[in-house]
Amino acid sequence: MRLAPHVVTAAAAISVALLAGRVYQPAQAEEVPVMSSAQMAAMEVQAFAAANAPAGMTAPEAVPVQIRRGETFEQAVRRTGVAPEEASAVAATVANAFDLADLRAGLRFETAIAKPRDGRGDARLIGLTMRTGPASQLTVSRSFDGALRLRSLEEKVTHETVVLKGDVERSLSASARELGATASIVRSASRLFATKFDMQRDIRASDEFTMVFDRDVTEAGRTVGVGDLMYAELRGVTFYRFKPAGAKEAQFFDASGKNLRSAMMRTPLQNFRRVSSGFGFRTHPISGYKKMHQGIDFAAGSGTPIVAPADGVVVEARRWGGYGNWLRIRHNNGLESGYGHLSRYGSGIRAGQRVSQGQVVAYVGSTGASTGPHLHYELWRNGQRINPAGVRTQEGTELAGGDLAAFRAEKARIDRIIASGGQKRPALQQASADGLRPVRG
């Protein structure tokens, strides 16, 4: 029977309690019954309750530990309050199965610690659990004689091609996450859909969506690796991932093989409350004069991410009068985009920096002449300001020849996966292989 790590730690605590105050009984071999997850949870509760009486010690408490910069594993264990010799013994035990030199600052592990009831003396380590890989971990516990015992737990991993289908409820992002999509998959799909839809005004409740992607899942149902978005559909608009011969990276195409990569996104914000001011004449909220408003204002919370609507090069990222923190990006086809009142810029954003469509370039703020957090968004064509709402850009070219034939074969494969509801197969390699990214947090 495979036990969750915290159950193993709790079982070790029982061992200490038995050693401390109960009469030894000869062990008798008994068949271990199959337990449900609910029964195992109940066992965990009982185990912790039963482990409340190591001689002269308090009940074990969970103490999370994170290794600090320049700190060894033994030093990190010592910070839980245990004696130096005990920390050394724990480190030596773990070293039997794992090279402690491979540990890096920031790694976390869990300990169960009992403290002296009178507040004097060293604490005692009852158990320790440390994850050593996406689906593996080491557990240190105490046997009946008080000695440290090491167990290595390895979960089987299944490689899945997942087909998520659902209806938009509160938002596309929230609905997809509830069905099991990761944050990276939701971001990728939202960037694609934003080339076709205004994500705030065009998307309504009950709109259907589909997302297809690879992931690695452990026996416990925990996602330990995720691949790239393979297919996305919203309101009948489809996107297929395909890498043409000689291309540096995969791109997305519609069902006919037309490249969607060069399309301009409808808005640079995927989350905003409303359009607070459109393009045209208006009474300025600060000066009170009627004047031309040469952009669109999006009301949004401070810190809301702003993305590049298309590939381009940063022309300027600086303070500019009433615009406050200002950003301007040059795109293809004579277009430039501008962003005002920013709270801050995205990572690495500076003049001369290349950006890609959907990349976070800045964050909503209220700097400069502003009455509250919002984004002022402008577009130029050949040096003249134009209405962003009226821009239509030519989409990419269509595939032909061998690339078109290869795309059709890939499209047929994806369509079969969707029709079958997904695929599952044993993962032959670790979750970080085959293009899968480990899931953090």
Side-chain angles (χ1 to χ4, degrees), residues 42 73 101 136 177 211 239 281 297 315 327 333 350 376 385 411 413:
F73 177 77
S136 61
R177 291 297 297 271
M211 299 178 189
F239 302 84
F281 282 97
D297 288 350
V315 177
L327 174 68
N333 303 319
R350 60 186 181 277
H376 175 79
R385 286 184 174 90
K411 176 182 178 297
R413 184 184 75 87

Side-chain angles (χ1 to χ4, degrees), residues 96-214:
N96 288 325
F98 186 79
D99 188 351
L100 295 178
D102 292 337
L103 296 181
R104 297 290 181 266
L107 180 138
R108 301 172 185 270
F109 57 90
E110 296 289 332
T111 65
I113 301 296
K115 299 178 181 180
R117 290 186 181 279
D118 59 8
R120 293 178 293 181
D122 297 311
R124 192 174 193 195
L125 185 138
I126 305 301
L128 179 148
T129 299
M130 180 176 69
R131 185 162 295 283
T132 56
S136 61
Q137 63 187 19
L138 296 177
T139 298
V140 176
S141 57
R142 290 191 181 277
S143 63
F144 282 94
D145 60 2
L148 295 173
R149 293 292 182 264
L150 179 68
R151 292 189 183 186
S152 178
L153 304 177
E154 187 80 29
E155 290 186 272
K156 292 182 180 179
V157 176
T158 300
H159 185 82
E160 299 181 340
T161 299
V162 183
V163 178
L164 295 185
K165 289 189 175 184
D167 295 335
V168 175
E169 294 181 2
R170 299 188 308 276
S171 69
L172 174 67
S173 175
S175 300
R177 291 297 297 271
E178 287 174 2
L179 290 175
T182 62
S184 63
I185 293 297
V186 171
R187 284 194 300 269
S188 296
S190 296
R191 291 171 186 172
L192 290 175
F193 295 145
T195 65
K196 292 293 185 180
F197 304 105
D198 182 324
M199 298 301 290
Q200 293 295 119
R201 293 180 290 183
D202 293 343
I203 308 305
R204 298 178 176 83
S206 77
D207 283 342
E208 296 181 353
F209 67 90
T210 302
M211 299 178 189
V212 180
F213 57 94
D214 290 331

Side-chain angles (χ1 to χ4, degrees), residues 331-365:
H331 309 284
N332 293 328
N333 303 319
L335 288 175
E336 292 186 355
S337 57
Y339 314 81
H341 311 303
L342 310 175
S343 60
R344 59 190 176 96
Y345 301 102
S347 177
I349 296 300
R350 60 186 181 277
Q353 179 69 37
R354 286 197 167 274
V355 296
S356 57
Q357 185 181 68
Q359 178 182 340
V360 174
V361 293
Y363 298 86
V364 171

Side-chain angles (χ1 to χ4, degrees), residues 83 86 101 180 369 372:
E86 182 157 332

Side-chain angles (χ1 to χ4, degrees), residues 148-432:
L148 295 173
R149 293 292 182 264
L150 179 68
R151 292 189 183 186
S152 178
L153 304 177
E154 187 80 29
E155 290 186 272
K156 292 182 180 179
V157 176
T158 300
H159 185 82
E160 299 181 340
T161 299
V162 183
V163 178
L164 295 185
K165 289 189 175 184
D167 295 335
V168 175
E169 294 181 2
R170 299 188 308 276
S171 69
L172 174 67
S173 175
S175 300
R177 291 297 297 271
E178 287 174 2
L179 290 175
T182 62
S184 63
I185 293 297
V186 171
R187 284 194 300 269
S188 296
S190 296
R191 291 171 186 172
L192 290 175
F193 295 145
T195 65
K196 292 293 185 180
F197 304 105
D198 182 324
M199 298 301 290
Q200 293 295 119
R201 293 180 290 183
D202 293 343
I203 308 305
R204 298 178 176 83
S206 77
D207 283 342
E208 296 181 353
F209 67 90
T210 302
M211 299 178 189
V212 180
F213 57 94
D214 290 331
R215 70 180 177 187
D216 278 346
V217 182
T218 67
E219 294 173 277
R222 187 170 54 86
T223 299
V224 294
V226 61
D228 294 310
L229 182 69
M230 184 185 304
Y231 171 91
E233 178 182 0
L234 179 64
R235 295 179 59 180
V237 177
T238 59
F239 302 84
Y240 291 85
R241 189 175 188 269
F242 174 71
K243 185 177 180 180
K248 293 183 179 180
E249 60 183 19
Q251 303 163 13
F252 282 90
F253 300 81
D254 65 13
S256 67
K258 180 181 291 185
N259 186 353
L260 301 172
R261 187 67 181 83
S262 61
M264 176 78 77
M265 294 171 65
R266 295 282 298 277
T267 66
L269 289 176
Q270 295 172 10
N271 294 294
F272 60 92
R273 291 191 290 269
R274 60 190 174 87
V275 174
S276 55
S277 185
F279 186 91
F281 282 97
R282 65 164 187 175
T283 300
H284 194 276
I286 295 179
S287 68
Y289 292 105
K290 192 169 185 178
K291 59 187 300 186
M292 184 68 177
H293 184 237
Q294 301 188 92
I296 294 179
D297 288 350
F298 297 96
S302 183
T304 300
I306 302 165
V307 300
D311 293 352
V313 178
V314 176
V315 177
E316 52 187 1
R318 61 183 179 89
R319 192 83 178 183
W320 189 24
Y323 286 93
N325 291 330
W326 167 257
L327 174 68
R328 185 160 58 101
I329 301 174
R330 180 178 296 122
H331 309 284
N332 293 328
N333 303 319
L335 288 175
E336 292 186 355
S337 57
Y339 314 81
H341 311 303
L342 310 175
S343 60
R344 59 190 176 96
Y345 301 102
S347 177
I349 296 300
R350 60 186 181 277
Q353 179 69 37
R354 286 197 167 274
V355 296
S356 57
Q357 185 181 68
Q359 178 182 340
V360 174
V361 293
Y363 298 86
V364 171
S366 188
T367 56
S370 171
T371 58
H374 73 283
L375 170 66
H376 175 79
Y377 177 53
E378 295 185 358
L379 275 185
W380 287 267
R381 174 170 280 143
N382 300 323
Q384 298 294 320
R385 286 184 174 90
I386 60 174
N387 185 353
V391 170
R392 296 292 182 270
T393 59
Q394 182 180 2
E395 294 182 352
T397 58
E398 294 189 37
L399 294 170
D403 280 340
L404 180 57
F407 168 75
R408 286 173 175 169
E410 175 66 1
K411 176 182 178 297
R413 184 184 75 87
I414 294 174
D415 288 343
R416 288 194 298 270
I417 292 174
I418 296 173
S420 64
Q423 292 181 343
K424 291 186 179 182
R425 58 189 183 277
L428 300 180
Q429 298 177 340
Q430 289 187 348
S432 58

Side-chain angles (χ1 to χ4, degrees), residues 65-80 82 84 87-92 94-95 98-109 111 128 130:
V65 180
Q66 183 174 15
I67 296 180
R68 297 170 179 171
R69 187 179 300 277
E71 186 178 50
T72 66
F73 177 77
E74 183 176 333
Q75 290 169 336
V77 174
R78 182 73 180 88
R79 284 195 284 109
T80 65
V82 302
S88 178
V90 172
V94 172
F98 186 79
D99 188 351
L100 295 178
D102 292 337
L103 296 181
R104 297 290 181 266
L107 180 138
R108 301 172 185 270
F109 57 90
T111 65
L128 179 148
M130 180 176 69

